Amino acid sequence: MSDIQQRISSSFNAQGLMQTLGARLALVGDGEVQIELPFSAHLSQQHGYLHAGATTSILDSACGYAALTKAPPGCEVVSVEFKINLLRPAIGEHFVAIGRVQNAGRTLIICNGEVVAIKDGQRKVVALMQATIMAVAV
């Protein structure tokens, strides 16, 4: 495991929200991070779909960690802005949030991402995000 993979894994494991949701880190690559989330009725909204808050949380984290793969040494990252489009009801057995870096500056890192719902082997994009992530010295 590379240093950045270890760093992201340690940070992810320290996030109480990701643990509460039952999310897991699925992939850490150069400029891309994937987070998986199994469906749970505890994370549903009133119609039985995955709640938009859970969808947004895993995608925000995927984009943030993708940004961290490009952040300068000695920096951490924080989200400063994002826009999410919820395309359809989040119906699935599990979900994959995929965050990708589009442009990495010294301070601001622009990411986009998607959440894919998987049900009966079929994949459907249920959300899209564009995020601005800031690298901050620690």
Side-chain angles (χ1 to χ4, degrees):
M1 185 179 287
S2 73
D3 288 345
I4 194 67
Q5 288 172 325
Q6 180 60 44
R7 183 174 172 204
I8 289 171
S9 180
S10 294
S11 178
F12 183 86
N13 292 333
Q15 279 199 23
L17 181 59
M18 292 298 108
Q19 290 178 17
T20 298
L21 294 175
R24 77 171 191 84
L25 199 56
L27 179 138
V28 176
D30 185 27
E32 181 176 324
V33 168
Q34 296 184 14
I35 296 173
E36 292 184 351
L37 178 69
F39 179 76
S40 169
H42 296 290
L43 303 177
S44 66
Q45 45 83 288
Q46 69 275 16
H47 300 294
Y49 314 139
L50 184 69
H51 194 284
T55 302
T56 302
S57 294
I58 60 172
L59 192 47
D60 174 44
S61 287
C63 286
Y65 284 125
L68 186 58
T69 71
K70 297 292 194 179
C75 288
E76 288 290 334
V77 294
V78 294
S79 296
V80 294
E81 172 276 334
F82 60 73
K83 162 82 167 100
I84 189 161
N85 293 98
L86 303 168
L87 306 177
R88 60 180 45 90
I91 301 169
E93 297 151 0
H94 68 281
F95 302 86
V96 180
I98 305 160
R100 294 183 186 98
V101 172
Q102 291 302 301
N103 187 69
R106 285 181 290 133
T107 304
L108 296 179
I109 303 165
I110 307 303
C111 297
N112 67 28
E114 62 187 20
V115 174
V116 177
I118 302 167
K119 182 177 180 187
D120 299 326
Q122 299 291 324
R123 300 170 62 91
K124 289 187 179 180
V125 176
V126 297
L128 298 172
M129 177 179 280
Q130 179 156 338
T132 303
I133 312 294
M134 180 179 283
V136 293
V138 289

